[in-house]
Amino acid sequence: MQSCARSATIQPLHRRSAGTVAAIFCFGLSHHTAPIAVREKVAFSPESLAVAHRDLLDQGLAKEALIVSTCNRTEIYVHGGHGLNRQALQNWLCAFHQIDPRSLDGHIYYSNDAEAVRHLFRMACGLDSMIIGEPQILGQVKDAYQASADSGAAGPVLNRLLHWTFRVAKRVRSETAIGSAPVSVAYAAVSLAKQLLGGLEGRSVLLIGAGDTIELVATHLREHGVSTFAVANRSLERGEQLAAKFAGNAHALEMIPSLLHDVDVVVSCTASTQPIVSREAVSAVMAQRERGDLMLVDLAVPRDIAPEVESIEQCYLYTLDDLNDIAQAGMRARREAAAAAELIIADEVGQFQQWRESLDVVPAIRRLRDHVEERRQDEVRRFQHYLDQGQDPHAVLDAFSKALINKVLHDPIATLRQPCQEATNESLVAALDILFHLSDAEG
Protein backbone atom coordinates (compact mmCIF):
# COMPACT_ATOMS: atom_id res chain seq x y z
CA MET A 1 0.00 0.00 0.00
CA GLN A 2 1.25 3.40 -0.92
CA SER A 3 1.97 5.70 2.01
CA CYS A 4 0.35 9.12 2.41
CA ALA A 5 2.28 12.20 1.34
CA ARG A 6 1.28 13.93 4.58
CA SER A 7 0.42 11.90 7.66
CA ALA A 8 0.00 14.67 10.26
CA THR A 9 -3.50 14.78 11.71
CA ILE A 10 -5.50 18.00 11.69
CA GLN A 11 -5.67 19.62 15.12
CA PRO A 12 -9.03 20.83 16.46
CA LEU A 13 -9.44 24.52 15.72
CA HIS A 14 -9.66 25.58 19.36
CA ARG A 15 -6.32 24.01 20.25
CA ARG A 16 -2.93 25.42 19.49
CA SER A 17 -0.25 23.15 18.13
CA ALA A 18 3.41 24.01 18.47
CA GLY A 19 3.77 27.21 16.50
CA THR A 20 6.46 29.60 15.50
CA VAL A 21 5.24 32.77 17.25
CA ALA A 22 7.73 33.98 19.86
CA ALA A 23 6.53 34.45 23.41
CA ILE A 24 5.74 37.71 25.18
CA PHE A 25 7.46 38.04 28.56
CA CYS A 26 6.80 40.34 31.49
CA PHE A 27 9.52 40.84 34.09
CA GLY A 28 9.51 43.33 36.95
CA LEU A 29 8.71 44.42 40.46
CA SER A 30 6.11 46.72 42.04
CA HIS A 31 4.76 48.04 45.32
CA HIS A 32 3.25 44.58 45.83
CA THR A 33 6.65 42.89 45.91
CA ALA A 34 9.29 45.50 46.77
CA PRO A 35 9.69 48.47 49.14
CA ILE A 36 10.51 51.89 47.76
CA ALA A 37 14.17 51.47 48.72
CA VAL A 38 14.39 48.63 46.17
CA ARG A 39 12.08 50.15 43.55
CA GLU A 40 14.08 53.37 43.33
CA LYS A 41 17.26 51.44 42.50
CA VAL A 42 15.80 50.11 39.24
CA ALA A 43 13.68 53.09 38.19
CA PHE A 44 14.34 54.47 34.71
CA SER A 45 14.46 58.19 34.08
CA PRO A 46 12.78 59.39 30.86
CA GLU A 47 16.23 60.22 29.50
CA SER A 48 17.54 56.68 30.05
CA LEU A 49 14.67 54.84 28.37
CA ALA A 50 15.97 55.19 24.82
CA VAL A 51 19.36 53.76 25.82
CA ALA A 52 17.70 50.92 27.77
CA HIS A 53 15.41 49.94 24.89
CA ARG A 54 18.27 49.88 22.43
CA ASP A 55 20.47 47.92 24.82
CA LEU A 56 17.85 45.19 25.18
CA LEU A 57 17.67 44.90 21.39
CA ASP A 58 21.41 45.16 20.79
CA GLN A 59 22.16 42.41 23.28
CA GLY A 60 19.65 40.15 21.54
CA LEU A 61 17.45 39.86 24.65
CA ALA A 62 14.47 41.11 22.66
CA LYS A 63 13.31 41.93 19.16
CA GLU A 64 10.71 44.26 20.68
CA ALA A 65 10.77 45.88 24.12
CA LEU A 66 8.63 48.08 26.36
CA ILE A 67 9.69 49.50 29.74
CA VAL A 68 7.07 50.83 32.15
CA SER A 69 8.75 52.71 34.99
CA THR A 70 6.71 54.64 37.59
CA CYS A 71 7.09 55.37 41.29
CA ASN A 72 5.24 52.13 42.05
CA ARG A 73 6.69 49.73 39.48
CA THR A 74 9.36 48.90 36.94
CA GLU A 75 8.24 46.34 34.36
CA ILE A 76 9.91 45.14 31.19
CA TYR A 77 7.90 43.55 28.38
CA VAL A 78 9.86 41.79 25.66
CA HIS A 79 9.02 39.81 22.54
CA GLY A 80 11.43 37.69 20.53
CA GLY A 81 15.13 37.56 21.17
CA HIS A 82 17.10 34.77 22.82
CA GLY A 83 17.87 33.80 26.37
CA LEU A 84 14.52 35.08 27.56
CA ASN A 85 14.28 33.96 31.15
CA ARG A 86 14.13 35.49 34.59
CA GLN A 87 17.85 35.32 35.22
CA ALA A 88 18.90 36.84 31.89
CA LEU A 89 16.58 39.82 32.34
CA GLN A 90 17.50 40.24 36.01
CA ASN A 91 21.19 40.26 35.10
CA TRP A 92 20.56 42.86 32.40
CA LEU A 93 18.48 45.09 34.73
CA CYS A 94 21.11 44.97 37.47
CA ALA A 95 23.96 45.58 35.04
CA PHE A 96 22.15 48.56 33.53
CA HIS A 97 21.62 50.14 36.95
CA GLN A 98 24.94 48.88 38.35
CA ILE A 99 23.46 47.13 41.36
CA ASP A 100 24.03 43.74 42.97
CA PRO A 101 21.64 41.14 41.40
CA ARG A 102 21.09 39.66 44.85
CA SER A 103 19.37 42.90 45.93
CA LEU A 104 16.40 41.94 43.76
CA ASP A 105 16.03 38.39 45.08
CA GLY A 106 12.50 37.81 46.34
CA HIS A 107 11.16 40.98 44.72
CA ILE A 108 10.85 39.97 41.06
CA TYR A 109 7.82 38.53 39.28
CA TYR A 110 7.89 36.94 35.86
CA SER A 111 5.18 35.76 33.46
CA ASN A 112 4.78 34.94 29.81
CA ASP A 113 2.21 34.80 27.02
CA ALA A 114 -1.41 34.91 28.24
CA GLU A 115 -0.43 35.73 31.84
CA ALA A 116 1.88 38.53 30.70
CA VAL A 117 -0.89 39.96 28.52
CA ARG A 118 -3.38 39.65 31.37
CA HIS A 119 -1.01 41.47 33.73
CA LEU A 120 -0.54 44.35 31.27
CA PHE A 121 -4.31 44.68 30.75
CA ARG A 122 -4.97 44.65 34.52
CA MET A 123 -2.20 47.13 35.20
CA ALA A 124 -3.39 49.58 32.52
CA CYS A 125 -6.96 49.38 33.86
CA GLY A 126 -5.79 50.28 37.38
CA LEU A 127 -6.59 46.87 38.88
CA ASP A 128 -2.99 46.42 40.06
CA SER A 129 -2.66 49.92 41.55
CA MET A 130 -2.56 50.98 45.18
CA ILE A 131 -5.94 52.62 44.61
CA ILE A 132 -8.14 50.36 42.49
CA GLY A 133 -9.13 52.01 39.24
CA GLU A 134 -6.83 55.04 39.44
CA PRO A 135 -6.57 56.52 35.94
CA GLN A 136 -3.01 57.89 36.01
CA ILE A 137 -1.42 54.53 35.23
CA LEU A 138 -3.02 54.39 31.77
CA GLY A 139 -1.34 57.67 30.85
CA GLN A 140 1.94 56.30 32.15
CA VAL A 141 1.58 53.19 29.97
CA LYS A 142 0.88 55.41 26.96
CA ASP A 143 4.02 57.42 27.72
CA ALA A 144 6.01 54.19 28.02
CA TYR A 145 4.70 53.02 24.65
CA GLN A 146 5.65 56.34 23.06
CA ALA A 147 9.18 56.01 24.45
CA SER A 148 9.42 52.47 23.08
CA ALA A 149 8.17 53.57 19.66
CA ASP A 150 10.56 56.55 19.59
CA SER A 151 13.43 54.15 20.35
CA GLY A 152 12.45 51.84 17.51
CA ALA A 153 11.76 49.05 20.02
CA ALA A 154 8.02 48.64 19.39
CA GLY A 155 7.48 46.18 16.55
CA PRO A 156 4.29 44.65 15.12
CA VAL A 157 3.47 42.45 18.11
CA LEU A 158 3.95 45.08 20.84
CA ASN A 159 2.25 47.69 18.66
CA ARG A 160 -0.78 45.44 18.43
CA LEU A 161 -0.59 44.55 22.13
CA LEU A 162 -0.45 48.17 23.31
CA HIS A 163 -3.27 49.37 21.10
CA TRP A 164 -5.28 46.39 22.31
CA THR A 165 -4.42 47.40 25.88
CA PHE A 166 -5.73 50.93 25.37
CA ARG A 167 -8.95 49.55 23.90
CA VAL A 168 -9.42 47.21 26.87
CA ALA A 169 -8.89 50.07 29.32
CA LYS A 170 -11.45 52.18 27.48
CA ARG A 171 -13.91 49.29 27.51
CA VAL A 172 -13.44 48.73 31.25
CA ARG A 173 -13.96 52.45 31.95
CA SER A 174 -17.13 52.61 29.87
CA GLU A 175 -18.69 49.29 30.93
CA THR A 176 -17.92 49.35 34.68
CA ALA A 177 -17.87 51.91 37.50
CA ILE A 178 -14.18 51.27 38.17
CA GLY A 179 -13.26 54.95 38.07
CA SER A 180 -16.46 56.70 39.07
CA ALA A 181 -16.67 56.11 42.82
CA PRO A 182 -14.52 58.41 45.03
CA VAL A 183 -11.85 56.56 47.01
CA SER A 184 -9.95 59.45 48.65
CA VAL A 185 -11.24 62.23 50.87
CA ALA A 186 -9.97 64.80 48.36
CA TYR A 187 -11.83 63.20 45.49
CA ALA A 188 -14.88 62.60 47.69
CA ALA A 189 -15.01 66.31 48.49
CA VAL A 190 -14.99 67.21 44.81
CA SER A 191 -17.63 64.58 43.98
CA LEU A 192 -19.88 65.96 46.70
CA ALA A 193 -19.45 69.52 45.47
CA LYS A 194 -20.25 68.50 41.93
CA GLN A 195 -23.36 66.65 43.07
CA LEU A 196 -24.59 69.42 45.39
CA LEU A 197 -24.04 72.30 42.97
CA GLY A 198 -25.06 70.43 39.83
CA GLY A 199 -21.62 70.83 38.25
CA LEU A 200 -18.46 72.82 38.88
CA GLU A 201 -18.00 74.65 35.59
CA GLY A 202 -17.64 78.37 36.30
CA ARG A 203 -17.77 77.91 40.08
CA SER A 204 -15.60 79.83 42.54
CA VAL A 205 -13.64 78.17 45.37
CA LEU A 206 -11.98 79.44 48.55
CA LEU A 207 -9.09 77.31 49.79
CA ILE A 208 -8.11 77.82 53.44
CA GLY A 209 -4.62 76.48 54.02
CA ALA A 210 -1.88 75.70 51.53
CA GLY A 211 -0.67 72.18 52.35
CA ASP A 212 -0.56 69.03 50.23
CA THR A 213 -4.17 68.05 50.96
CA ILE A 214 -5.51 71.43 49.86
CA GLU A 215 -3.38 71.29 46.71
CA LEU A 216 -4.73 67.84 45.86
CA VAL A 217 -8.32 69.02 46.30
CA ALA A 218 -7.59 72.05 44.13
CA THR A 219 -6.15 69.80 41.44
CA HIS A 220 -9.31 67.68 41.38
CA LEU A 221 -11.49 70.81 41.35
CA ARG A 222 -9.62 72.24 38.36
CA GLU A 223 -9.97 68.93 36.51
CA HIS A 224 -13.74 69.24 37.00
CA GLY A 225 -13.99 72.74 35.60
CA VAL A 226 -13.32 75.17 38.46
CA SER A 227 -11.35 78.14 37.16
CA THR A 228 -11.56 80.72 39.97
CA PHE A 229 -9.54 80.10 43.13
CA ALA A 230 -8.86 82.22 46.21
CA VAL A 231 -6.31 81.04 48.79
CA ALA A 232 -6.36 82.19 52.42
CA ASN A 233 -3.34 81.16 54.45
CA ARG A 234 -1.48 82.17 57.58
CA SER A 235 1.76 82.44 55.59
CA LEU A 236 1.03 84.77 52.71
CA GLU A 237 4.17 83.63 50.86
CA ARG A 238 3.11 79.98 50.88
CA GLY A 239 -0.43 81.05 49.94
CA GLU A 240 0.90 82.95 46.95
CA GLN A 241 2.91 79.92 45.81
CA LEU A 242 -0.21 77.72 45.82
CA ALA A 243 -2.41 80.39 44.26
CA ALA A 244 0.07 80.79 41.41
CA LYS A 245 -0.31 77.10 40.48
CA PHE A 246 -4.03 77.60 39.94
CA ALA A 247 -4.05 81.16 38.58
CA GLY A 248 -5.68 82.36 41.80
CA ASN A 249 -5.17 85.08 44.36
CA ALA A 250 -3.68 84.80 47.85
CA HIS A 251 -5.15 86.49 50.94
CA ALA A 252 -4.59 86.70 54.69
CA LEU A 253 -6.87 84.65 56.98
CA GLU A 254 -8.52 87.88 58.16
CA MET A 255 -10.03 88.29 54.69
CA ILE A 256 -12.12 85.10 54.92
CA PRO A 257 -15.46 86.80 55.82
CA SER A 258 -15.31 89.09 52.80
CA LEU A 259 -14.17 86.25 50.53
CA LEU A 260 -17.20 84.15 51.49
CA HIS A 261 -19.47 86.56 49.62
CA ASP A 262 -18.22 85.48 46.21
CA VAL A 263 -17.50 81.73 46.44
CA ASP A 264 -19.55 78.57 46.02
CA VAL A 265 -17.24 76.14 47.82
CA VAL A 266 -14.96 76.47 50.83
CA VAL A 267 -12.33 73.81 51.52
CA SER A 268 -10.26 74.16 54.70
CA CYS A 269 -7.32 72.18 56.05
CA THR A 270 -4.93 73.94 58.44
CA ALA A 271 -3.04 73.09 61.61
CA SER A 272 -5.01 75.59 63.69
CA THR A 273 -6.07 74.48 67.16
CA GLN A 274 -9.17 76.71 67.05
CA PRO A 275 -11.92 77.14 64.42
CA ILE A 276 -10.98 79.65 61.74
CA VAL A 277 -14.49 80.01 60.32
CA SER A 278 -17.11 80.86 62.96
CA ARG A 279 -20.85 80.48 62.86
CA GLU A 280 -21.26 84.22 63.34
CA ALA A 281 -19.07 85.09 60.35
CA VAL A 282 -20.87 82.69 58.02
CA SER A 283 -24.32 83.71 59.26
CA ALA A 284 -23.56 87.37 58.62
CA VAL A 285 -22.36 86.60 55.10
CA MET A 286 -25.34 84.39 54.23
CA ALA A 287 -27.75 87.13 55.30
CA GLN A 288 -26.25 89.48 52.70
CA ARG A 289 -25.05 87.35 49.78
CA GLU A 290 -27.21 86.46 46.79
CA ARG A 291 -25.05 83.67 45.38
CA GLY A 292 -27.15 80.74 46.69
CA ASP A 293 -25.96 77.55 48.42
CA LEU A 294 -22.57 77.49 50.09
CA MET A 295 -20.72 74.20 50.48
CA LEU A 296 -18.06 73.99 53.20
CA VAL A 297 -15.62 71.08 53.48
CA ASP A 298 -13.57 70.77 56.68
CA LEU A 299 -10.61 68.38 56.29
CA ALA A 300 -8.81 69.49 59.44
CA VAL A 301 -8.38 67.82 62.83
CA PRO A 302 -9.06 69.74 65.05
CA ARG A 303 -11.81 71.26 62.91
CA ASP A 304 -11.32 74.57 61.12
CA ILE A 305 -15.03 75.32 60.66
CA ALA A 306 -17.35 75.63 63.63
CA PRO A 307 -19.80 72.68 63.58
CA GLU A 308 -22.70 75.06 64.25
CA VAL A 309 -22.32 76.37 60.68
CA GLU A 310 -24.29 73.32 59.56
CA SER A 311 -27.46 74.79 61.06
CA ILE A 312 -27.33 77.91 58.86
CA GLU A 313 -29.80 77.86 56.00
CA GLN A 314 -28.30 77.14 52.54
CA CYS A 315 -25.01 76.03 54.16
CA TYR A 316 -23.84 72.45 53.71
CA LEU A 317 -20.95 71.40 55.96
CA TYR A 318 -19.01 68.14 55.51
CA THR A 319 -16.26 66.91 57.82
CA LEU A 320 -13.42 64.41 57.46
CA ASP A 321 -15.62 61.65 58.90
CA ASP A 322 -18.32 62.28 56.29
CA LEU A 323 -15.78 62.07 53.49
CA ASN A 324 -14.10 58.97 54.91
CA ASP A 325 -17.47 57.20 54.86
CA ILE A 326 -17.94 58.21 51.24
CA ALA A 327 -14.42 57.07 50.35
CA GLN A 328 -14.94 53.67 51.99
CA ALA A 329 -18.23 53.20 50.14
CA GLY A 330 -16.42 54.18 46.94
CA MET A 331 -13.73 51.58 47.56
CA ARG A 332 -16.38 48.89 47.99
CA ALA A 333 -18.02 49.99 44.75
CA ARG A 334 -14.68 49.85 42.94
CA ARG A 335 -14.01 46.34 44.21
CA GLU A 336 -17.35 45.25 42.76
CA ALA A 337 -16.51 47.00 39.49
CA ALA A 338 -13.10 45.30 39.50
CA ALA A 339 -14.81 41.90 39.48
CA ALA A 340 -16.70 42.91 36.33
CA ALA A 341 -13.49 44.28 34.84
CA GLU A 342 -11.74 40.94 35.39
CA LEU A 343 -14.37 39.23 33.22
CA ILE A 344 -13.82 41.77 30.44
CA ILE A 345 -10.06 41.30 30.67
CA ALA A 346 -10.37 37.50 30.55
CA ASP A 347 -12.41 37.83 27.35
CA GLU A 348 -9.92 40.26 25.79
CA VAL A 349 -6.91 38.11 26.72
CA GLY A 350 -8.55 35.20 24.92
CA GLN A 351 -9.15 37.30 21.82
CA PHE A 352 -5.60 38.63 21.80
CA GLN A 353 -4.19 35.12 22.13
CA GLN A 354 -6.32 33.98 19.21
CA TRP A 355 -4.79 36.77 17.13
CA ARG A 356 -1.27 35.73 18.17
CA GLU A 357 -1.98 32.09 17.39
CA SER A 358 -3.20 33.12 13.95
CA LEU A 359 0.35 34.32 13.27
CA ASP A 360 1.44 30.66 13.23
CA VAL A 361 -0.27 30.15 9.86
CA VAL A 362 1.10 33.30 8.21
CA PRO A 363 4.15 31.55 6.68
CA ALA A 364 1.94 28.76 5.33
CA ILE A 365 -0.47 31.31 3.85
CA ARG A 366 2.44 33.10 2.20
CA ARG A 367 3.71 29.82 0.70
CA LEU A 368 0.21 29.00 -0.57
CA ARG A 369 -0.15 32.40 -2.20
CA ASP A 370 3.28 32.14 -3.83
CA HIS A 371 2.46 28.61 -5.05
CA VAL A 372 -0.83 29.68 -6.67
CA GLU A 373 0.68 32.88 -8.04
CA GLU A 374 3.44 30.93 -9.79
CA ARG A 375 0.89 28.73 -11.53
CA ARG A 376 -1.25 31.72 -12.43
CA GLN A 377 1.67 33.42 -14.11
CA ASP A 378 2.54 30.23 -16.02
CA GLU A 379 -0.99 30.02 -17.40
CA VAL A 380 -1.12 33.75 -18.19
CA ARG A 381 2.05 33.41 -20.29
CA ARG A 382 0.70 30.30 -22.04
CA PHE A 383 -2.70 31.73 -22.91
CA GLN A 384 -1.35 35.13 -23.89
CA HIS A 385 0.12 33.31 -26.86
CA TYR A 386 -3.38 32.33 -28.04
CA LEU A 387 -4.58 35.91 -27.73
CA ASP A 388 -1.59 37.12 -29.73
CA GLN A 389 -2.64 34.66 -32.47
CA GLY A 390 -6.02 36.38 -32.66
CA GLN A 391 -8.12 33.59 -31.16
CA ASP A 392 -11.53 34.40 -29.69
CA PRO A 393 -10.89 36.16 -26.29
CA HIS A 394 -13.99 34.60 -24.71
CA ALA A 395 -12.86 31.11 -25.64
CA VAL A 396 -9.31 31.83 -24.44
CA LEU A 397 -10.61 33.20 -21.13
CA ASP A 398 -12.81 30.14 -20.58
CA ALA A 399 -9.92 27.78 -21.35
CA PHE A 400 -7.55 29.80 -19.15
CA SER A 401 -9.87 29.60 -16.12
CA LYS A 402 -10.33 25.85 -16.47
CA ALA A 403 -6.60 25.26 -16.90
CA LEU A 404 -5.81 27.42 -13.85
CA ILE A 405 -8.30 25.50 -11.71
CA ASN A 406 -6.83 22.19 -12.81
CA LYS A 407 -3.29 23.37 -12.06
CA VAL A 408 -4.17 24.68 -8.58
CA LEU A 409 -6.23 21.63 -7.58
CA HIS A 410 -3.98 18.96 -9.08
CA ASP A 411 -1.73 18.38 -6.04
CA PRO A 412 -4.49 18.49 -3.37
CA ILE A 413 -6.68 16.09 -5.34
CA ALA A 414 -3.75 13.74 -5.96
CA THR A 415 -3.03 13.70 -2.22
CA LEU A 416 -6.68 12.95 -1.36
CA ARG A 417 -6.75 10.05 -3.82
CA GLN A 418 -3.69 8.36 -2.36
CA PRO A 419 -4.40 5.32 -0.15
CA CYS A 420 -4.16 6.61 3.44
CA GLN A 421 -4.86 5.50 6.94
CA GLU A 422 -8.54 6.03 7.54
CA ALA A 423 -8.06 8.53 10.39
CA THR A 424 -5.69 10.68 8.33
CA ASN A 425 -7.96 10.57 5.29
CA GLU A 426 -10.92 11.68 7.41
CA SER A 427 -8.85 14.53 8.82
CA LEU A 428 -7.87 15.72 5.34
CA VAL A 429 -11.46 15.61 4.14
CA ALA A 430 -12.59 17.48 7.28
CA ALA A 431 -9.91 20.11 6.72
CA LEU A 432 -11.04 20.48 3.09
CA ASP A 433 -14.63 21.02 4.20
CA ILE A 434 -13.51 23.67 6.69
CA LEU A 435 -11.17 25.53 4.33
CA PHE A 436 -13.60 25.74 1.41
CA HIS A 437 -16.94 25.65 3.30
CA LEU A 438 -17.97 22.66 1.20
CA SER A 439 -20.63 21.53 3.66
CA ASP A 440 -22.29 24.94 3.40
CA ALA A 441 -22.15 24.73 -0.37
CA GLU A 442 -23.93 21.38 -0.36
CA GLY A 443 -26.72 22.82 1.77
Side-chain angles (χ1 to χ4, degrees):
M1 180 179 292
Q2 198 174 12
S3 63
C4 283
R6 294 176 178 86
S7 60
T9 57
I10 305 300
Q11 297 293 325
L13 292 180
H14 64 278
R15 293 179 59 191
R16 181 183 181 187
S17 57
T20 59
V21 178
I24 295 173
F25 290 88
C26 169
F27 167 90
L29 48 80
S30 73
H31 60 281
H32 293 299
T33 64
I36 189 171
V38 175
R39 299 199 305 273
E40 64 187 5
K41 291 180 180 179
V42 294
F44 290 86
S45 66
E47 298 75 23
S48 68
L49 283 175
V51 176
H53 283 123
R54 294 309 312 171
D55 198 41
L56 280 167
L57 272 58
D58 292 343
Q59 292 197 32
L61 290 172
K63 291 183 178 178
E64 303 179 45
L66 170 79
I67 299 173
V68 180
S69 185
T70 72
C71 58
N72 285 330
R73 71 182 68 246
T74 291
E75 293 181 352
I76 302 169
Y77 295 82
V78 294
H79 174 257
H82 61 78
L84 283 178
N85 56 66
R86 179 195 299 260
Q87 197 58 54
L89 288 172
Q90 183 166 336
N91 290 343
W92 175 85
L93 182 63
C94 293
F96 189 90
H97 289 288
Q98 298 181 334
I99 61 174
D100 185 346
R102 293 172 297 182
S103 65
L104 299 186
D105 289 346
H107 300 300
I108 296 295
Y109 46 80
Y110 182 83
S111 59
N112 66 313
D113 285 334
E115 285 309 310
V117 172
R118 184 189 311 279
H119 179 78
L120 178 59
F121 287 177
R122 294 186 75 257
M123 184 257 287
C125 291
L127 298 185
D128 196 55
S129 300
M130 282 185 173
I131 298 177
I132 296 174
E134 61 94 1
Q136 287 80 11
I137 185 62
L138 179 58
Q140 292 167 332
V141 174
K142 289 181 177 180
D143 291 342
Y145 173 51
Q146 186 64 56
S148 174
D150 291 344
S151 304
V157 173
L158 287 188
N159 279 329
R160 187 66 175 263
L161 173 60
L162 269 297
H163 283 98
W164 205 301
T165 299
F166 304 148
R167 184 174 66 82
V168 172
K170 182 177 180 181
R171 183 182 170 193
V172 167
R173 290 278 162 182
S174 63
E175 295 182 23
T176 75
I178 192 70
S180 60
V183 292
S184 68
V185 292
Y187 190 56
V190 175
S191 298
L192 268 177
K194 188 175 181 180
Q195 181 179 350
L196 177 65
L197 301 175
L200 294 174
E201 293 284 345
R203 297 292 185 174
S204 180
V205 174
L206 169 60
L207 306 172
I208 303 176
D212 292 342
T213 300
I214 286 291
E215 184 172 349
L216 180 58
V217 172
T219 301
H220 288 314
L221 286 167
R222 183 171 59 183
E223 290 171 351
H224 284 78
V226 173
S227 58
T228 305
F229 291 90
V231 179
N233 193 55
R234 192 173 307 280
S235 166
L236 190 58
E237 181 182 359
R238 173 60 186 140
E240 289 173 342
Q241 291 174 356
L242 179 62
K245 292 183 179 180
F246 299 93
N249 297 309
H251 306 270
L253 293 179
E254 292 76 19
M255 297 297 296
I256 289 176
S258 62
L259 294 171
L260 292 175
H261 282 277
D262 301 314
V263 299
D264 304 291
V265 181
V266 177
V267 183
S268 185
C269 185
T270 75
S272 174
T273 58
Q274 298 294 326
I276 295 174
V277 181
S278 67
R279 184 191 189 284
E280 291 73 22
V282 177
S283 180
V285 168
M286 296 304 293
Q288 299 175 18
R289 70 180 240 146
E290 300 177 354
R291 199 171 178 88
D293 295 338
L294 177 64
M295 178 179 177
L296 301 101
V297 180
D298 192 347
L299 302 178
V301 179
R303 287 178 283 185
D304 283 339
I305 303 174
E308 295 81 11
V309 167
E310 189 174 21
S311 64
I312 300 174
E313 189 174 352
Q314 289 188 289
C315 285
Y316 299 88
L317 175 62
Y318 295 91
T319 67
L320 197 58
D321 286 348
D322 298 323
L323 299 178
N324 273 325
D325 290 342
I326 294 170
Q328 290 300 316
M331 186 59 74
R332 289 192 295 271
R334 288 203 181 190
R335 284 197 208 84
E336 293 173 1
E342 295 285 7
L343 296 178
I344 293 173
I345 289 171
D347 174 55
E348 294 287 353
V349 169
Q351 292 186 46
F352 181 79
Q353 288 301 99
Q354 286 181 6
W355 171 77
R356 289 195 65 236
E357 289 166 9
S358 73
L359 299 181
D360 282 342
V361 302
V362 169
I365 292 173
R366 187 177 295 113
R367 290 195 302 272
L368 176 61
R369 285 185 176 276
D370 292 345
H371 174 79
V372 174
E373 175 63 18
E374 183 180 350
R375 278 144 186 76
R376 186 190 70 83
Q377 291 181 12
D378 287 345
E379 295 307 301
V380 166
R381 285 191 291 268
R382 187 160 69 94
F383 280 87
Q384 183 65 47
H385 174 69
Y386 299 127
L387 292 174
D388 294 340
Q389 290 180 338
Q391 295 191 25
D392 179 16
H394 293 91
V396 173
L397 181 62
D398 183 62
F400 166 77
S401 63
K402 291 177 180 177
L404 181 60
I405 290 173
N406 288 335
K407 279 257 187 174
V408 170
L409 296 182
H410 176 269
D411 289 341
I413 291 174
T415 300
L416 283 171
R417 284 176 171 169
Q418 289 178 4
C420 302
Q421 295 179 1
E422 184 177 351
T424 302
N425 193 46
E426 289 178 356
S427 298
L428 289 172
V429 172
L432 194 65
D433 284 341
I434 292 171
L435 288 172
F436 293 97
H437 303 282
L438 299 182
S439 298
D440 295 341
E442 291 176 0

